[in-house]
Amino acid sequence: MNTQATWIWYPGDFEIWLGNLFNNRRTERGAMFPPFWKQDSHWPTVVFTKTVHLDEDEQVRITAEGQFNFSIDGQLRFPHVEQLIPAGEHVLSVKVWNQATPPALYLEGKSVVTDATWLATYEDKIWIDENGVAHGSGIYVPAGSWCFNAPDTPPSGFRLPRRELRPVSEEHLSDREKGLYGGTLYDFGREVFGYLKIFYLESGSVSVYYGESREEALDKAHCETLDVLHPTNVSRRRETGPGSWYYELDSKAFRYVYIENVQGVTRYDGVAVDEEYAPFDPGRSGEFRCSDPEINQIWDVSAYTMDLTTREFFVDGIKRDRWTWSGDAIQSYLMNYYLRFDTECVKRTIRQLRGKDPVTAHVNTIMDYTFYWFKSILDYYEYTADIAFVREMYPRMRSLMDYCHGREDDEGMAEGKADDWVFVDWVDFPMHKRGVLCFEQILYTKAIETMARCAALLRDHPLADPPQGSIPVSVYAADAETYADRARQLEERWKRLFWDEERHALLHAVEDGHLNRQVTKFPNMFAILYGYADDEQRRDILQHVLLNDDIPPITTPYMRFYELEALCQCGCQQRVLQEMKSYWGGMLRLGATTFWEKYNPDEQGAEHLAMYGRPYGKSLCHAWGASPIYLLGRYFLGVRPVKPGYEEFEVCPVLDAFEWMHGYVPTPFGRIEVTVREGHVSVYSEGGHGTLIVGGRRYEVDGKPIDYRL
């Protein structure tokens, strides 16, 4: 019997509430800068209920976030924190109201506790459990950070841990011709994300200019983030002891900080930053090392980039935008599966991005980002085997897909409407994004296929005792067939429309009834990635598109992720290795301590800092820059799940990429270790059943080290 109580709330409401706080922390030059898409709110009134069977009377203690009432068998009790439940069978009900934070409940007795067996409703009279139409039941957070398994650690108290960092150098500057009127430039050595602290500020006021680059921090007129601090601002002052204090500013992302006097004589005693971070267990994390020092540095900087962008949710760039974006997130999830395997952050981000019904816009307002959102749920299942999360999200998948179907054109194609953003990628060449894009049809087909696959999974994994109001198995069965038919029909349409035998490629789009015959890498590489190109088409696309220098190059790490993965799937790992060293190595050679939102080798000097028409608009720490983590783990160590949750897995290492390589890939049961060195391949797994594939032969990996001599 489970006697561990945990806080419970309505499913997704904690993530929606926390996401609103998270997404609205962005500022630009001191002004708040909220996201430009719909933000939902939590339900203010939630009822939690459970039927209990007791052999003897039991005393329980109730803690709630919000005002509450308590009833037994429909009879209200006086709202004491302590309540006596008589022996026998009873229906317990606690109604919680909270306008400020999600209504949450923590109830604890000898045997009666709040856990995943409770049901919840927001007074629509549909009871939700943790399985399909599921209620939220606490959140697992690694040891050492906040957890929700005690009455004094409620969900609204969730905070990431912090650690203090000091600058590695400081430089006193005064150059009136450049507009510097006496100040100090602090360098923290690499990108950080946290709360700047100014110690013992006693007089005068200071202006604080932040920069991911030295140039930005010293450009007071154009730096993206800044603060002005007065010693009279007592809300910023933190007392640390008698005669000891510091002033704390709001969280920012930066490497450099320039602090300058505004008025009077400014006196303070140095700075530090309380860095916010998501904790992880190194002993259960991914690792990679090889004989090439530059690739090792690329992996290390990728890992640091991912750690900085892994927060309450997976964020895009830590300076700008500091928002959750579905297209960025689906790549973060995949990198995470090969680095930290933080599945709770994956679920939080998926829930937060989806929000509530009714659906009135695409995820982040971007059509392609909606399609990625569907696939992210199936990816999650493949790596974790968590069928309960698929069941929880399926009703929201279904309503979002209904919205997508309602916006198709007359031919059943996905076409951007006036209120949609069709993104694809930031490009440095002319490319229209209107009409019916081949790229969008491929993503849409995969989204519909995902619906079919998830419906089939839920059909094949029925609940033994489904709660009232849950989706019947017959509906899952019908959905699996309907969505599979839709996907097949859509695939046939766009292949017939866009494949060009003469150019050996998929064409770009149909605009105003006319075929735009432009060839770009985007639809072609996704046709390979998603399995829509047959063997002959794969060879054609590889030769005539991916390896064709006449096709415009991709200059964002975002789409280079998919380009290099497609090359890996075609067996071009040596080419991918060269591209990594050229592209990511190029950023390192320019002094990058984290990887950027965009890198164009043709740019020079401060051009590398500019984007969106602003001199420092580019994020120099951006999640989608960390893709070498995924590529090295998945396609060089060669580790992938064959059955969900790594119940069965495959290890197919590249033998000729390096003189030696060694790494770990995290899984639900532990880590898989792979070593290629001096004519040997060794594999060890802490669980699951695997197959090592070398030289076209297959060897069993089953709980004990295997060493294969080449």
Side-chain angles (χ1 to χ4, degrees), residues 525-547:
M525 63 196 188
F526 273 84
I528 291 175
L529 290 172
Y530 289 171
Y532 298 138
D534 60 30
D535 290 343
E536 182 178 355
Q537 289 170 331
R538 286 166 66 97
R539 290 191 293 270
D540 282 348
I541 290 171
L542 180 63
Q543 177 182 351
H544 295 278
V545 181
L546 297 184
L547 300 181

PDB file of all heavy atoms in Angstrom, residues 525-547:
ATOM      1  N   MET A 525      15.326  16.823 -47.093  1.00  0.00           N
ATOM      2  CA  MET A 525      15.959  16.113 -45.977  1.00  0.00           C
ATOM      3  C   MET A 525      14.915  15.532 -45.027  1.00  0.00           C
ATOM      4  O   MET A 525      15.122  14.461 -44.452  1.00  0.00           O
ATOM      5  CB  MET A 525      16.933  17.027 -45.233  1.00  0.00           C
ATOM      6  CG  MET A 525      16.348  18.236 -44.563  1.00  0.00           C
ATOM      7  SD  MET A 525      17.672  19.408 -44.149  1.00  0.00           S
ATOM      8  CE  MET A 525      16.768  20.620 -43.170  1.00  0.00           C
ATOM      9  N   PHE A 526      13.751  16.182 -44.909  1.00  0.00           N
ATOM     10  CA  PHE A 526      12.706  15.618 -44.050  1.00  0.00           C
ATOM     11  C   PHE A 526      12.060  14.391 -44.688  1.00  0.00           C
ATOM     12  O   PHE A 526      11.578  13.508 -43.978  1.00  0.00           O
ATOM     13  CB  PHE A 526      11.663  16.677 -43.697  1.00  0.00           C
ATOM     14  CG  PHE A 526      12.036  17.485 -42.484  1.00  0.00           C
ATOM     15  CD1 PHE A 526      12.872  18.577 -42.597  1.00  0.00           C
ATOM     16  CD2 PHE A 526      11.580  17.128 -41.227  1.00  0.00           C
ATOM     17  CE1 PHE A 526      13.243  19.314 -41.493  1.00  0.00           C
ATOM     18  CE2 PHE A 526      11.938  17.859 -40.106  1.00  0.00           C
ATOM     19  CZ  PHE A 526      12.777  18.954 -40.239  1.00  0.00           C
ATOM     20  N   ALA A 527      12.033  14.330 -46.001  1.00  0.00           N
ATOM     21  CA  ALA A 527      11.531  13.116 -46.661  1.00  0.00           C
ATOM     22  C   ALA A 527      12.407  11.922 -46.302  1.00  0.00           C
ATOM     23  O   ALA A 527      11.911  10.796 -46.128  1.00  0.00           O
ATOM     24  CB  ALA A 527      11.492  13.318 -48.171  1.00  0.00           C
ATOM     25  N   ILE A 528      13.708  12.148 -46.166  1.00  0.00           N
ATOM     26  CA  ILE A 528      14.611  11.081 -45.720  1.00  0.00           C
ATOM     27  C   ILE A 528      14.395  10.778 -44.248  1.00  0.00           C
ATOM     28  O   ILE A 528      14.226   9.619 -43.837  1.00  0.00           O
ATOM     29  CB  ILE A 528      16.077  11.482 -45.992  1.00  0.00           C
ATOM     30  CG1 ILE A 528      16.352  11.498 -47.498  1.00  0.00           C
ATOM     31  CG2 ILE A 528      17.038  10.532 -45.288  1.00  0.00           C
ATOM     32  CD1 ILE A 528      17.743  11.994 -47.870  1.00  0.00           C
ATOM     33  N   LEU A 529      14.382  11.819 -43.419  1.00  0.00           N
ATOM     34  CA  LEU A 529      14.289  11.634 -41.968  1.00  0.00           C
ATOM     35  C   LEU A 529      13.016  10.899 -41.560  1.00  0.00           C
ATOM     36  O   LEU A 529      13.037  10.063 -40.655  1.00  0.00           O
ATOM     37  CB  LEU A 529      14.336  12.996 -41.270  1.00  0.00           C
ATOM     38  CG  LEU A 529      15.672  13.735 -41.289  1.00  0.00           C
ATOM     39  CD1 LEU A 529      15.506  15.139 -40.732  1.00  0.00           C
ATOM     40  CD2 LEU A 529      16.712  12.967 -40.482  1.00  0.00           C
ATOM     41  N   TYR A 530      11.908  11.215 -42.203  1.00  0.00           N
ATOM     42  CA  TYR A 530      10.621  10.654 -41.811  1.00  0.00           C
ATOM     43  C   TYR A 530      10.250   9.404 -42.600  1.00  0.00           C
ATOM     44  O   TYR A 530       9.143   8.882 -42.462  1.00  0.00           O
ATOM     45  CB  TYR A 530       9.518  11.708 -41.955  1.00  0.00           C
ATOM     46  CG  TYR A 530       9.583  12.821 -40.920  1.00  0.00           C
ATOM     47  CD1 TYR A 530       8.768  13.952 -41.034  1.00  0.00           C
ATOM     48  CD2 TYR A 530      10.444  12.758 -39.825  1.00  0.00           C
ATOM     49  CE1 TYR A 530       8.810  14.969 -40.094  1.00  0.00           C
ATOM     50  CE2 TYR A 530      10.496  13.773 -38.889  1.00  0.00           C
ATOM     51  CZ  TYR A 530       9.672  14.884 -39.027  1.00  0.00           C
ATOM     52  OH  TYR A 530       9.713  15.892 -38.099  1.00  0.00           O
ATOM     53  N   GLY A 531      11.172   8.917 -43.425  1.00  0.00           N
ATOM     54  CA  GLY A 531      10.950   7.647 -44.107  1.00  0.00           C
ATOM     55  C   GLY A 531      10.027   7.708 -45.295  1.00  0.00           C
ATOM     56  O   GLY A 531       9.448   6.686 -45.693  1.00  0.00           O
ATOM     57  N   TYR A 532       9.869   8.871 -45.924  1.00  0.00           N
ATOM     58  CA  TYR A 532       8.971   9.005 -47.065  1.00  0.00           C
ATOM     59  C   TYR A 532       9.680   8.858 -48.409  1.00  0.00           C
ATOM     60  O   TYR A 532       9.032   8.848 -49.452  1.00  0.00           O
ATOM     61  CB  TYR A 532       8.249  10.357 -47.016  1.00  0.00           C
ATOM     62  CG  TYR A 532       7.379  10.531 -45.805  1.00  0.00           C
ATOM     63  CD1 TYR A 532       7.342  11.733 -45.105  1.00  0.00           C
ATOM     64  CD2 TYR A 532       6.578   9.487 -45.346  1.00  0.00           C
ATOM     65  CE1 TYR A 532       6.535  11.896 -43.994  1.00  0.00           C
ATOM     66  CE2 TYR A 532       5.769   9.640 -44.234  1.00  0.00           C
ATOM     67  CZ  TYR A 532       5.759  10.852 -43.554  1.00  0.00           C
ATOM     68  OH  TYR A 532       4.968  10.998 -42.450  1.00  0.00           O
ATOM     69  N   ALA A 533      11.013   8.786 -48.404  1.00  0.00           N
ATOM     70  CA  ALA A 533      11.773   8.610 -49.642  1.00  0.00           C
ATOM     71  C   ALA A 533      12.195   7.151 -49.761  1.00  0.00           C
ATOM     72  O   ALA A 533      12.735   6.581 -48.808  1.00  0.00           O
ATOM     73  CB  ALA A 533      12.999   9.521 -49.638  1.00  0.00           C
ATOM     74  N   ASP A 534      11.954   6.545 -50.931  1.00  0.00           N
ATOM     75  CA  ASP A 534      12.418   5.171 -51.131  1.00  0.00           C
ATOM     76  C   ASP A 534      13.931   5.192 -51.384  1.00  0.00           C
ATOM     77  O   ASP A 534      14.563   6.262 -51.416  1.00  0.00           O
ATOM     78  CB  ASP A 534      11.654   4.483 -52.263  1.00  0.00           C
ATOM     79  CG  ASP A 534      11.801   5.187 -53.609  1.00  0.00           C
ATOM     80  OD1 ASP A 534      12.854   5.815 -53.856  1.00  0.00           O
ATOM     81  OD2 ASP A 534      10.863   5.109 -54.421  1.00  0.00           O
ATOM     82  N   ASP A 535      14.517   4.018 -51.553  1.00  0.00           N
ATOM     83  CA  ASP A 535      15.976   3.932 -51.664  1.00  0.00           C
ATOM     84  C   ASP A 535      16.510   4.761 -52.834  1.00  0.00           C
ATOM     85  O   ASP A 535      17.529   5.451 -52.708  1.00  0.00           O
ATOM     86  CB  ASP A 535      16.411   2.475 -51.813  1.00  0.00           C
ATOM     87  CG  ASP A 535      16.221   1.678 -50.533  1.00  0.00           C
ATOM     88  OD1 ASP A 535      16.056   2.319 -49.462  1.00  0.00           O
ATOM     89  OD2 ASP A 535      16.231   0.434 -50.591  1.00  0.00           O
ATOM     90  N   GLU A 536      15.836   4.691 -53.978  1.00  0.00           N
ATOM     91  CA  GLU A 536      16.301   5.443 -55.142  1.00  0.00           C
ATOM     92  C   GLU A 536      16.174   6.942 -54.905  1.00  0.00           C
ATOM     93  O   GLU A 536      17.080   7.718 -55.253  1.00  0.00           O
ATOM     94  CB  GLU A 536      15.510   5.037 -56.383  1.00  0.00           C
ATOM     95  CG  GLU A 536      15.980   5.742 -57.650  1.00  0.00           C
ATOM     96  CD  GLU A 536      15.213   5.297 -58.883  1.00  0.00           C
ATOM     97  OE1 GLU A 536      14.390   4.366 -58.764  1.00  0.00           O
ATOM     98  OE2 GLU A 536      15.439   5.895 -59.958  1.00  0.00           O
ATOM     99  N   GLN A 537      15.067   7.363 -54.290  1.00  0.00           N
ATOM    100  CA  GLN A 537      14.881   8.784 -54.006  1.00  0.00           C
ATOM    101  C   GLN A 537      15.895   9.283 -52.971  1.00  0.00           C
ATOM    102  O   GLN A 537      16.390  10.416 -53.079  1.00  0.00           O
ATOM    103  CB  GLN A 537      13.458   9.032 -53.516  1.00  0.00           C
ATOM    104  CG  GLN A 537      12.403   8.878 -54.605  1.00  0.00           C
ATOM    105  CD  GLN A 537      10.995   8.900 -54.060  1.00  0.00           C
ATOM    106  OE1 GLN A 537      10.753   8.505 -52.913  1.00  0.00           O
ATOM    107  NE2 GLN A 537      10.051   9.336 -54.881  1.00  0.00           N
ATOM    108  N   ARG A 538      16.223   8.441 -52.002  1.00  0.00           N
ATOM    109  CA  ARG A 538      17.246   8.823 -51.027  1.00  0.00           C
ATOM    110  C   ARG A 538      18.581   9.094 -51.727  1.00  0.00           C
ATOM    111  O   ARG A 538      19.265  10.081 -51.432  1.00  0.00           O
ATOM    112  CB  ARG A 538      17.419   7.723 -49.971  1.00  0.00           C
ATOM    113  CG  ARG A 538      16.302   7.641 -48.962  1.00  0.00           C
ATOM    114  CD  ARG A 538      16.377   6.348 -48.181  1.00  0.00           C
ATOM    115  NE  ARG A 538      17.569   6.275 -47.349  1.00  0.00           N
ATOM    116  CZ  ARG A 538      17.601   6.585 -46.045  1.00  0.00           C
ATOM    117  NH1 ARG A 538      16.495   7.006 -45.440  1.00  0.00           N
ATOM    118  NH2 ARG A 538      18.704   6.474 -45.348  1.00  0.00           N
ATOM    119  N   ARG A 539      18.950   8.209 -52.638  1.00  0.00           N
ATOM    120  CA  ARG A 539      20.204   8.411 -53.373  1.00  0.00           C
ATOM    121  C   ARG A 539      20.144   9.682 -54.220  1.00  0.00           C
ATOM    122  O   ARG A 539      21.116  10.441 -54.297  1.00  0.00           O
ATOM    123  CB  ARG A 539      20.502   7.185 -54.246  1.00  0.00           C
ATOM    124  CG  ARG A 539      20.894   5.942 -53.453  1.00  0.00           C
ATOM    125  CD  ARG A 539      21.424   4.854 -54.370  1.00  0.00           C
ATOM    126  NE  ARG A 539      20.393   4.332 -55.255  1.00  0.00           N
ATOM    127  CZ  ARG A 539      19.609   3.296 -54.959  1.00  0.00           C
ATOM    128  NH1 ARG A 539      19.763   2.665 -53.785  1.00  0.00           N
ATOM    129  NH2 ARG A 539      18.706   2.864 -55.819  1.00  0.00           N
ATOM    130  N   ASP A 540      18.997   9.918 -54.843  1.00  0.00           N
ATOM    131  CA  ASP A 540      18.843  11.124 -55.657  1.00  0.00           C
ATOM    132  C   ASP A 540      18.957  12.382 -54.794  1.00  0.00           C
ATOM    133  O   ASP A 540      19.642  13.349 -55.156  1.00  0.00           O
ATOM    134  CB  ASP A 540      17.489  11.115 -56.371  1.00  0.00           C
ATOM    135  CG  ASP A 540      17.482  10.200 -57.589  1.00  0.00           C
ATOM    136  OD1 ASP A 540      18.575   9.765 -58.004  1.00  0.00           O
ATOM    137  OD2 ASP A 540      16.391   9.923 -58.113  1.00  0.00           O
ATOM    138  N   ILE A 541      18.249  12.388 -53.689  1.00  0.00           N
ATOM    139  CA  ILE A 541      18.268  13.563 -52.812  1.00  0.00           C
ATOM    140  C   ILE A 541      19.669  13.803 -52.269  1.00  0.00           C
ATOM    141  O   ILE A 541      20.146  14.949 -52.201  1.00  0.00           O
ATOM    142  CB  ILE A 541      17.252  13.386 -51.662  1.00  0.00           C
ATOM    143  CG1 ILE A 541      15.819  13.459 -52.210  1.00  0.00           C
ATOM    144  CG2 ILE A 541      17.464  14.440 -50.580  1.00  0.00           C
ATOM    145  CD1 ILE A 541      14.751  13.077 -51.209  1.00  0.00           C
ATOM    146  N   LEU A 542      20.339  12.732 -51.875  1.00  0.00           N
ATOM    147  CA  LEU A 542      21.702  12.875 -51.356  1.00  0.00           C
ATOM    148  C   LEU A 542      22.604  13.529 -52.393  1.00  0.00           C
ATOM    149  O   LEU A 542      23.325  14.495 -52.096  1.00  0.00           O
ATOM    150  CB  LEU A 542      22.244  11.507 -50.947  1.00  0.00           C
ATOM    151  CG  LEU A 542      23.672  11.489 -50.387  1.00  0.00           C
ATOM    152  CD1 LEU A 542      23.764  12.297 -49.099  1.00  0.00           C
ATOM    153  CD2 LEU A 542      24.140  10.052 -50.172  1.00  0.00           C
ATOM    154  N   GLN A 543      22.574  13.025 -53.618  1.00  0.00           N
ATOM    155  CA  GLN A 543      23.488  13.513 -54.648  1.00  0.00           C
ATOM    156  C   GLN A 543      23.082  14.883 -55.179  1.00  0.00           C
ATOM    157  O   GLN A 543      23.938  15.761 -55.355  1.00  0.00           O
ATOM    158  CB  GLN A 543      23.540  12.511 -55.807  1.00  0.00           C
ATOM    159  CG  GLN A 543      24.426  12.967 -56.964  1.00  0.00           C
ATOM    160  CD  GLN A 543      24.424  11.977 -58.120  1.00  0.00           C
ATOM    161  OE1 GLN A 543      23.894  10.880 -58.009  1.00  0.00           O
ATOM    162  NE2 GLN A 543      25.017  12.382 -59.245  1.00  0.00           N
ATOM    163  N   HIS A 544      21.796  15.080 -55.434  1.00  0.00           N
ATOM    164  CA  HIS A 544      21.359  16.269 -56.154  1.00  0.00           C
ATOM    165  C   HIS A 544      20.921  17.415 -55.238  1.00  0.00           C
ATOM    166  O   HIS A 544      20.724  18.537 -55.731  1.00  0.00           O
ATOM    167  CB  HIS A 544      20.211  15.912 -57.105  1.00  0.00           C
ATOM    168  CG  HIS A 544      20.618  14.984 -58.209  1.00  0.00           C
ATOM    169  ND1 HIS A 544      21.238  15.418 -59.359  1.00  0.00           N
ATOM    170  CD2 HIS A 544      20.514  13.631 -58.321  1.00  0.00           C
ATOM    171  CE1 HIS A 544      21.494  14.380 -60.150  1.00  0.00           C
ATOM    172  NE2 HIS A 544      21.058  13.284 -59.544  1.00  0.00           N
ATOM    173  N   VAL A 545      20.775  17.142 -53.945  1.00  0.00           N
ATOM    174  CA  VAL A 545      20.341  18.199 -53.023  1.00  0.00           C
ATOM    175  C   VAL A 545      21.318  18.362 -51.866  1.00  0.00           C
ATOM    176  O   VAL A 545      21.976  19.391 -51.734  1.00  0.00           O
ATOM    177  CB  VAL A 545      18.913  17.927 -52.485  1.00  0.00           C
ATOM    178  CG1 VAL A 545      18.476  19.065 -51.554  1.00  0.00           C
ATOM    179  CG2 VAL A 545      17.922  17.777 -53.625  1.00  0.00           C
ATOM    180  N   LEU A 546      21.449  17.338 -51.030  1.00  0.00           N
ATOM    181  CA  LEU A 546      22.224  17.494 -49.801  1.00  0.00           C
ATOM    182  C   LEU A 546      23.704  17.703 -50.065  1.00  0.00           C
ATOM    183  O   LEU A 546      24.374  18.443 -49.325  1.00  0.00           O
ATOM    184  CB  LEU A 546      22.011  16.285 -48.893  1.00  0.00           C
ATOM    185  CG  LEU A 546      20.578  16.055 -48.394  1.00  0.00           C
ATOM    186  CD1 LEU A 546      20.527  14.888 -47.416  1.00  0.00           C
ATOM    187  CD2 LEU A 546      20.013  17.315 -47.753  1.00  0.00           C
ATOM    188  N   LEU A 547      24.248  17.064 -51.100  1.00  0.00           N
ATOM    189  CA  LEU A 547      25.675  17.210 -51.410  1.00  0.00           C
ATOM    190  C   LEU A 547      25.910  18.118 -52.614  1.00  0.00           C
ATOM    191  O   LEU A 547      27.015  18.146 -53.163  1.00  0.00           O
ATOM    192  CB  LEU A 547      26.294  15.828 -51.669  1.00  0.00           C
ATOM    193  CG  LEU A 547      26.208  14.826 -50.516  1.00  0.00           C
ATOM    194  CD1 LEU A 547      26.871  13.511 -50.898  1.00  0.00           C
ATOM    195  CD2 LEU A 547      26.829  15.395 -49.242  1.00  0.00           C
TER     196      LEU A 547
END
